[in-house]
Amino acid sequence: MIKNIDKLIEGKQNEYFELSDRIWDIAEVKFHEQESAKTIIAFLEKEGFNVETNIGEIDTAFIGTYGDKGPIIGFLGEYDALPELNQKAGATTKETDPSLGTTNGHGCGHNLLGTASLAAAIATRDYLKENNIEAQIRYYGCPAEEGGSGKTYMARAGAFDDLDMALCWHPGTDNAIIGSPTLANIQAVFEFKGVSSHAANSPHMGRSALDAMEIMNIGANYLREHVTPEARYHYAILDGGGMQPSVVQAHAKSLYLIRAPKAFQVKDIYDRLVNCAKGAALMTGTEVEVHFDKACSNYMPNKVLSKLMSDTMFEVGAPNFNDEDIAFAKEMYASLSEDEKKFMMVPPVTAVEKQVLGANQGKVLADYIYPFNEALTNIVMPGSTDVGDVSWVVPTAQCVMATEVMNTALHSWQWVANGKTPIAKKGMLQAAKVMAATAMKAIENPEILAEAKAELKAITDQTPYINPIPADVKPNSLGL
């Protein structure tokens, strides 16, 4: 089976390379991926998939479906970029490219992510047809993973409810199963409204919204000592009240992103921050409005599917990098500071990972694989992903595949520059093969799906899934 899937994906590799490059060029940010979505939809329709659009009230979310019988397998695709990361492709120094016509860039590799998931969906479909096996294959076009929680809105709309299994991956610097939970989060805007006045002549007549926002931030920073240690929250000032200090600021606005291991912990911190804002408004004689923007649940890896995907990854193998790839990677690695060279996307936290890393010390590209270690399911990763909400609805597994130079950080110019290289594309194809082969093993062995579902049910029976976005909050309603 592995050889057949390899052949199916390699046979269309040039088409996948062109698609990935096109998404890289477009580089559209969250909830604005119109051209990217249109490009992938056209590819799906050419391949005979039926496409449903506007999923979860998001005009750049869609589902491509092939087949109507048997188990339903979902492949999750992303295609959103990040702002202010324009970078020349293939450069080993920080260098913008004005010819792209955008200031955005694919600093998280979602041009690769969405394309590999698409390739996996098509290869699985082709293998089913060749072997007269019945199953329904779905490709989920999931927008706004970066700060928008597109999948959480889609989950709220029931888009994943009837799936038997969901598979995904992420570009990275290593080859491993994403076997650790992530942090849940909530994002909200705090908007303060005061009264303007002359700051020297009549300051007593004014009520400073800026003062209120600053007092809230002080309260939030004191609160850090009294929340669960794994929690973290960050804020940005969206509106400082204007550019004239002689005017008491009548308006101010901040954006908070709150993270913690569990959704209920995030909600508790959010409620306490709301109280900080209310207290700040009371102290300054201002008013505050809280605008809930988005949220996502913690990712819950399915152990049954993670083990299956790990075994499959070892069968498929790591990307096969050549001397040219290594030479380029060494140049890119040289662009890193000494602190950056210590960064690891998948840090070795147990003896298993440390042993693998030790045996491969000094490599600039990962041509080795970390085995799935169930101990990692008890270690929380510091980031967040809206795949978390999918994992609470349907058994879900993800892997990370080496598409980037060792120690380069996500959301960096290095990742953008590397996004069209042979290194990235080799990793992308290997990820597609792992996902397709994992799907076929589950389809051909119904007991695997049954066991994976039983694992999820045992968890949700104890802790039922509650979508963390209130029903009245609309996607991108704040335009952030």
Side-chain angles (χ1 to χ4, degrees):
M1 177 182 66
I2 300 293
K3 289 183 178 180
N4 288 348
I5 287 175
D6 186 279
K7 183 178 178 181
L8 289 169
I9 290 174
E10 295 283 348
K12 295 179 179 179
Q13 67 173 3
N14 290 336
E15 294 180 66
Y16 298 135
F17 293 164
E18 290 175 8
L19 177 63
S20 175
D21 285 352
R22 175 60 181 151
I23 303 302
W24 188 96
D25 290 338
I26 298 168
E28 295 167 312
V29 296
K30 62 176 181 178
F31 295 118
H32 295 282
E33 314 95 329
Q34 278 81 11
E35 191 62 31
S36 301
K38 190 184 302 182
T39 301
I40 298 172
I41 287 171
F43 202 113
L44 283 166
E45 291 177 336
K46 183 193 71 172
E47 288 288 338
F49 282 70
N50 295 316
V51 179
E52 179 186 359
T53 59
N54 199 40
I55 307 300
E57 300 182 79
I58 307 173
D59 63 1
T60 54
F62 58 90
I63 302 174
T65 303
Y66 194 97
D68 57 7
K69 296 179 181 178
I72 307 173
I73 311 299
F75 296 91
L76 310 180
E78 300 168 12
Y79 33 86
D80 57 323
L82 289 155
E84 307 304 323
L85 275 179
N86 172 285
Q87 166 66 28
K88 184 177 180 180
T92 55
T93 57
K94 189 175 182 180
E95 183 179 348
T96 58
D97 186 352
S99 69
L100 293 171
T102 177
T103 60
N104 308 325
H106 273 283
C108 215
H110 291 181
N111 61 306
L112 306 168
L113 196 163
T115 302
S117 293
L118 178 69
I122 293 171
T124 306
R125 185 278 312 270
D126 290 344
Y127 186 91
L128 291 169
K129 289 174 65 176
E130 287 182 359
N131 294 276
N132 296 314
I133 301 170
E134 290 187 333
Q136 183 178 139
I137 303 302
R138 290 186 191 163
Y139 176 89
Y140 283 82
C142 305
E145 191 276 336
E146 299 288 358
S149 293
K151 296 182 196 68
T152 311
Y153 284 103
M154 295 169 74
R156 191 180 69 178
F160 309 103
D161 286 357
D162 60 345
L163 281 180
D164 290 288
M165 175 176 74
L167 296 174
C168 191
W169 79 293
H170 203 285
T173 57
D174 293 287
N175 306 295
I177 297 303
I178 302 178
S180 296
T182 59
L183 299 175
N185 72 35
I186 289 176
Q187 183 164 284
V189 168
F190 295 84
E191 182 176 8
F192 293 91
K193 298 178 181 180
V195 178
S196 62
S197 184
H198 194 294
N201 182 268
S202 53
H204 56 289
M205 302 298 292
R207 298 293 181 267
S208 175
L210 179 58
D211 286 355
M213 182 176 69
E214 289 190 290
I215 291 171
M216 181 209 167
N217 293 343
I218 292 169
N221 288 330
Y222 275 106
L223 179 63
R224 295 181 193 277
E225 184 182 355
H226 306 288
V227 297
T228 183
E230 298 85 2
R232 54 192 64 192
Y233 47 89
H234 343 278
Y235 59 83
I237 297 173
L238 303 181
D239 173 14
M243 304 297 291
Q244 182 52 264
S246 69
V247 178
V248 175
Q249 292 86 353
H251 52 86
K253 189 186 300 184
S254 60
L255 174 68
Y256 270 75
L257 177 58
I258 309 147
R259 307 178 197 255
K262 304 293 184 182
F264 76 88
Q265 295 170 320
V266 178
K267 179 63 166 55
D268 176 67
I269 297 169
Y270 168 71
D271 289 341
R272 294 168 76 183
L273 286 171
V274 169
N275 285 336
C276 287
K278 290 178 178 178
L282 183 64
M283 292 170 68
T284 54
T286 60
E287 298 177 354
V288 64
E289 293 180 2
V290 182
H291 308 281
F292 194 108
D293 180 40
K294 68 97 179 180
C296 68
S297 300
N298 53 297
Y299 172 62
M300 186 167 55
N302 187 278
K303 296 177 186 177
V304 171
L305 295 186
S306 294
K307 179 66 166 60
L308 176 67
M309 183 176 260
S310 179
D311 292 343
T312 306
M313 182 179 282
F314 276 94
E315 292 181 62
V316 171
N320 184 21
F321 300 117
N322 60 27
D323 291 342
E324 290 183 5
D325 299 328
I326 294 171
F328 173 84
K330 286 181 177 179
E331 282 191 54
M332 184 68 82
Y333 187 80
S335 73
L336 303 176
S337 68
E338 291 306 310
D339 283 342
E340 288 172 327
K341 289 176 182 177
K342 298 173 185 176
F343 171 79
M344 301 196 71
M345 184 176 172
V346 183
V349 294
T350 70
V352 176
E353 291 82 43
K354 290 176 182 177
Q355 182 178 12
V356 173
L357 181 64
N360 292 278
Q361 198 71 39
K363 292 185 176 180
V364 290
L365 291 172
D367 57 0
Y368 53 90
I369 300 171
Y370 288 106
F372 173 61
N373 183 357
E374 198 166 311
L376 292 174
T377 60
N378 297 315
I379 299 171
V380 179
M381 293 174 60
S384 304
T385 173
D386 56 9
V387 178
D389 289 277
V390 182
S391 74
W392 279 90
V393 176
V394 57
T396 304
Q398 303 182 86
C399 67
V400 59
M401 190 67 75
T403 58
E404 312 299 327
V405 177
M406 193 66 71
N407 298 102
T408 53
L410 298 94
H411 298 191
S412 65
W413 69 262
Q414 287 95 343
W415 272 49
V416 185
N418 194 65
K420 298 174 80 171
T421 64
I423 294 170
K425 291 170 181 175
K426 287 176 181 178
M428 178 182 76
L429 291 188
Q430 292 302 95
K433 295 169 190 175
V434 170
M435 288 186 287
T438 301
M440 281 311 311
K441 287 182 179 180
I443 292 168
E444 293 181 330
N445 297 277
E447 67 278 6
I448 293 176
L449 289 177
E451 189 179 351
K453 289 180 181 180
E455 178 186 326
L456 176 60
K457 185 176 184 300
I459 295 170
T460 55
D461 281 350
Q462 293 293 319
T463 309
Y465 171 64
I466 300 173
N467 191 283
I469 300 179
D472 61 338
V473 175
K474 302 298 181 184
N476 201 33
S477 60
L478 302 182
L480 297 174

